[in-house]
């Protein structure tokens, strides 16, 4: 399913604030490399103005948009048509217009596994057990993705236990909540550990977790990408574990939107990654 491709299509990232977003960097890189005469801009839109802005996307000449904080739930509510993934996650990060209807998808789940496939190939060969830290929107997308990829047991751990319990109840028997004292037991035998919280992000406390119980073939993944390598990623590498930082998910979430608006599926190349990493490092 593709939206109509305009002669000089334009798209944008809608957020509040939006100045920090790396999406323009990513999409403009692809536009230039693929020699597409399109454009991608930032749109700072306050929550009160969001529904009117997206209803008016086509009239403003946009083929579609990315949506970031704090609008992902509202984007879900205003869409006429949602993909199955967006419906399940109740959040939308990619918008396009098709036959006059506002359509929405959530590309975070596919982006998470896309990054793992690229940076830790074979991570799911024996998908026995994953430990997911956090219970917000990102955790929901990641649990959904892991379940689809056949992860047999998913342990959820969160500061606010009730949120983890709510998430677990939405996903059924595969998922279970663990308390912090039981974390070492959950890590033992886990193939994958994922941090979905903002812990470790610049300006936030680090994620204080002992990786010792993880088996030597476990993969450690963090959705945080500022800094490029969080303390948990560094600790995983120091232990000789494969580690996947958040930059891959950031890059992969952009692919489906670009394809819909500009008509070509772009690649997440080392060159793109290096450019975005350099930008993040320069801002630090
Ligand atoms: P997102 O949609 O990006 O996942 P969110 O819904 O605000 O954002 O969720 C953020 C997650 O990070 C939650 O799991 C949150 O824990 P709570 O549910 O207890 O709020 C977690 N988080 C954020 N700051 C934290 C901190 N200082 N310590 C522990 N967990 C934290």
């Amino acid at each position: 399913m593709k939206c109509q491709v305009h002669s000089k299509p334009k798209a944008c990232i809608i957020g509040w604030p939006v100045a920090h977003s790396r999406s323009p960097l990513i999409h403009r890189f692809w536009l230039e490399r693929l020699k597409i005469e399109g454009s991608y801009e930032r749109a700072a839109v306050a929550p009160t103005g969001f529904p009117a802005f997206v209803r008016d996307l086509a009239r403003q000449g946009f083929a579609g948009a990315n949506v970031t904080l704090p609008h992902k739930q509202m984007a879900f509510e205003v869409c006429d048509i949602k993909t199955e993934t967006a419906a399940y996650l109740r959040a939308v990060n990619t918008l396009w217009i098709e036959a006059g209807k506002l359509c929405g998808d959530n590309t975070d789940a596919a982006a998470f596994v896309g990054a793992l496939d690229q940076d830790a190939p074979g991570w799911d060969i024996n998908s026995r057990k994953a430990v997911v830290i956090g219970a917000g929107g990102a955790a929901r997308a990641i649990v959904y993705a892991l379940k689809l990829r056949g992860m047999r047991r998913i342990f959820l751990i969160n500061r606010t236990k009730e949120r983890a319990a709510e998430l677990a109840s939405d996903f059924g028997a595969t998922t279970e909540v663990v308390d912090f004292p039981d974390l070492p037991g959950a890590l033992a035998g886990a193939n994958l550990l994922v941090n979905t919280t903002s812990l470790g992000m610049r300006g936030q406390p680090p994620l204080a977790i002992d990786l010792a119980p993880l088996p030597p073939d476990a993969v450690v993944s963090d959705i945080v990408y500022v800094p490029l390598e969080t303390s948990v990623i560094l600790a995983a590498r120091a232990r000789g574990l494969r580690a996947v930082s958040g930059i891959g998910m950031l890059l992969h979430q952009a692919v489906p939107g670009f394809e819909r608006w500009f008509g070509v599926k772009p690649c997440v190349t080392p060159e793109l990654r290096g450019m975005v990493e350099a930008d993040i490092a320069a801002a630090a």
Side-chain angles (χ1 to χ4, degrees):
M1 192 168 64
K2 257 182 212 162
C3 60
Q4 188 191 340
V5 178
H6 304 231
S7 60
K8 282 189 186 176
K10 66 173 192 166
C12 62
I13 168 85
I14 312 168
W16 185 257
V18 78
H20 64 284
S21 171
R22 260 89 192 184
S23 289
L25 202 61
I26 300 167
H27 289 281
R28 287 172 190 165
F29 173 92
W30 283 328
L31 285 170
E32 197 194 304
R33 285 296 183 281
L34 294 164
K35 301 198 184 338
I36 293 171
E37 270 198 83
S39 62
Y40 189 97
E41 53 200 69
R42 288 187 168 84
V45 179
T48 47
F50 182 81
F53 186 89
V54 293
R55 287 256 154 251
D56 207 29
L57 268 183
R59 208 194 50 76
Q60 297 178 74
F62 288 111
N66 282 128
V67 178
T68 187
L69 293 175
H71 301 313
K72 290 185 182 184
Q73 280 77 26
M74 211 188 290
F76 169 76
E77 278 156 32
V78 300
C79 278
D80 302 311
I81 298 172
K82 295 133 190 166
T83 61
E84 200 181 319
T85 308
Y88 203 90
L89 301 178
R90 300 194 291 273
V92 155
N93 72 346
T94 304
L95 294 169
W96 70 99
I97 294 135
E98 202 168 294
K101 303 270 189 213
L102 186 63
C103 306
D105 189 14
N106 188 311
T107 68
D108 287 336
F112 174 73
V113 291
L116 281 175
D117 287 341
Q118 193 166 37
D119 295 348
W123 66 275
D124 62 338
I125 283 170
N126 190 3
S127 301
R128 295 180 306 270
K129 185 165 141 187
V131 176
V132 174
I133 304 171
R140 174 175 289 273
I142 286 166
V143 171
Y144 176 81
L146 289 176
K147 225 183 139 172
L148 278 185
R149 281 295 280 266
M151 190 59 78
R152 290 201 281 278
R153 291 179 82 193
I154 303 169
F155 291 90
L156 296 177
I157 186 156
N158 191 47
R159 175 179 60 181
T160 311
K161 192 178 172 186
E162 299 74 49
R163 278 186 97 189
E166 206 177 304
L167 190 59
S169 75
D170 282 356
F171 284 97
T174 322
T175 49
E176 56 189 277
V177 179
V178 288
D179 291 309
F180 278 96
D182 301 325
L183 182 58
L187 291 175
N191 307 85
L192 178 68
L193 167 68
V194 192
N195 174 41
T196 76
T197 74
S198 49
L199 289 170
M201 195 184 284
R202 200 174 65 210
Q204 298 285 322
L207 173 65
I209 183 172
D210 180 8
L211 303 182
L214 281 171
D217 61 349
V219 173
V220 175
S221 161
D222 197 334
I223 67 162
V224 173
Y225 56 85
V226 181
L228 289 164
E229 301 204 300
T230 58
S231 58
V232 78
I233 291 289
L234 292 171
R237 294 227 167 93
R239 239 211 75 186
L241 304 176
R242 288 198 291 171
V244 177
S245 68
I247 189 93
M249 186 173 169
L250 169 73
L251 301 176
H252 281 273
Q253 62 76 33
V255 171
F258 189 95
E259 185 179 10
R260 287 194 190 275
W261 313 317
F262 302 115
V264 182
K265 185 175 182 182
C267 293
V268 174
T269 58
E271 190 192 4
L272 170 68
R273 188 186 178 117
M275 196 253 323
V276 177
E277 285 185 346
D279 185 74
I280 291 169

